[in-house]
Amino acid sequence: PLAGSADTEAALTIPHQAVTVTLTGDYNGDDRPLADSDIYLFTEAGSYQNLSAATDRQGKVSFDLPPGSYKVRGDHLGREYWSEAFDQADTTVVVEEVMAQVAVILFDQPIEDVPVYIFDAQGTYLGIDGVTTLDGHAAFRLPAGDYNCRADYFGNQYFSGPTTLIAHQENPVKISTGGGNFALTVEMSLGQPLEGVNCFLFSDGGAYLGHQTATDAYGAAGFELADGAYKLRIDHMGYQYWTQVFEIPDQNTM
């Protein structure tokens, strides 16, 4: 340094402030926190700031931010939701929600105890499932948008098809399993029926479907089945006998 000069130091302080972002679902004014969803930080102009965090059980994350205009994007169930611009202030991202009432139908009647799975319109499973209750319905609170719902029944899968769910409404969704009556006749020989023989229902792949019946005095066993492929096992005098695979609704007797 030159004679008589002095070293100087300058310090610049950029004040940061903790900002809380809340991701909430809103169904007709009933708010709920949305946990385990990713929040991404951007400038108001749209430049990603390489900061992200997953919401906690209260639907919240926190960022330490300097002064400036920011916005955040919340990713929830495959959809993107944006906040308004904010500057060192807490903000909330609102997801408009619906109530989906999924009914699984056999012979035009709802059926209970059927697993239901929720997919987006592109066929991606969203990790959401339920089981139909006594009235044959399963209820799901979901973001508004397009979905495809699947029911698994008697070893087969049935889809609702693409369905648009409208915000702040109860949306009915129908999954039809089709259905038809199938009658099997078991005989010793032509015209000589076997009564009281147990018949067990299986999928075409060999999975037992938990349904059986015994032949009547005419050697007949009846089944009410959803659309799909099946086979039957007949147990008689210590031996097992199998039918060929048959498909409902294409075939209704054997």
Side-chain angles (χ1 to χ4, degrees):
L2 298 174
S5 65
D7 292 334
T8 59
E9 293 184 1
L12 175 64
T13 300
I14 302 177
H16 284 57
Q17 181 170 311
V19 172
T20 298
V21 177
T22 303
L23 185 67
T24 185
D26 173 26
Y27 176 63
N28 280 335
D30 179 18
D31 294 338
R32 63 167 182 166
L34 299 177
D36 300 320
S37 297
D38 292 324
I39 306 294
Y40 299 88
L41 181 72
F42 295 77
T43 65
E44 183 181 7
S47 176
Y48 178 49
Q49 297 302 294
N50 293 313
L51 280 176
S52 66
T55 55
D56 60 17
R57 286 184 296 178
Q58 285 74 45
K60 298 180 183 297
V61 300
S62 182
F63 298 109
D64 285 327
L65 301 180
S69 188
Y70 301 93
K71 60 184 178 181
V72 291
R73 190 190 80 206
D75 289 6
H76 179 63
L77 294 180
R79 293 175 169 83
E80 298 177 351
Y81 303 90
W82 290 89
S83 73
E84 300 293 333
F86 60 91
D87 182 354
Q88 287 190 323
D90 294 345
T91 190
T92 298
V93 181
V94 178
V95 177
E96 309 291 342
E97 292 188 314
V98 308
M99 189 66 71
Q101 291 286 352
V102 182
V104 183
I105 306 297
L106 173 67
F107 289 107
D108 295 324
Q109 296 295 321
I111 47 179
E112 65 174 302
D113 203 30
V114 179
V116 176
Y117 304 89
I118 307 300
F119 294 75
D120 66 19
Q122 289 71 47
T124 301
Y125 177 52
L126 298 177
I128 300 172
D129 63 87
V131 178
T132 58
T133 56
L134 287 173
D135 64 357
H137 290 73
F140 300 92
R141 184 167 163 174
L142 302 168
D146 297 331
Y147 295 89
N148 200 352
C149 305
R150 190 189 84 198
D152 291 4
Y153 183 64
F154 267 14
N156 296 296
Q157 297 177 344
Y158 308 89
F159 283 89
S160 64
T163 302
T164 299
L165 303 182
I166 301 171
H168 307 298
Q169 293 186 23
E170 190 169 279
N171 291 249
V173 180
K174 179 180 177 181
I175 302 177
S176 176
T177 66
N181 291 307
F182 181 83
L184 173 71
T185 300
V186 183
E187 298 178 324
M188 289 185 289
S189 59
L190 187 61
Q192 291 187 294
L194 279 173
E195 181 181 0
V197 175
N198 288 321
C199 303
F200 300 85
L201 182 68
F202 289 77
S203 70
D204 60 338
Y208 178 52
L209 299 177
H211 189 60
Q212 70 178 82
T213 190
T215 57
D216 61 19
Y218 302 98
F223 295 86
E224 292 184 349
L225 301 176
D227 289 354
Y230 306 91
K231 59 184 176 181
L232 292 166
R233 192 189 77 203
I234 298 91
D235 290 5
H236 179 56
M237 296 188 69
Y239 290 92
Q240 297 177 344
Y241 304 88
W242 291 88
T243 68
Q244 295 178 338
V245 173
F246 58 92
E247 293 192 11
I248 301 296
D250 297 334
Q251 184 177 357
N252 56 19
T253 60
M254 183 177 288

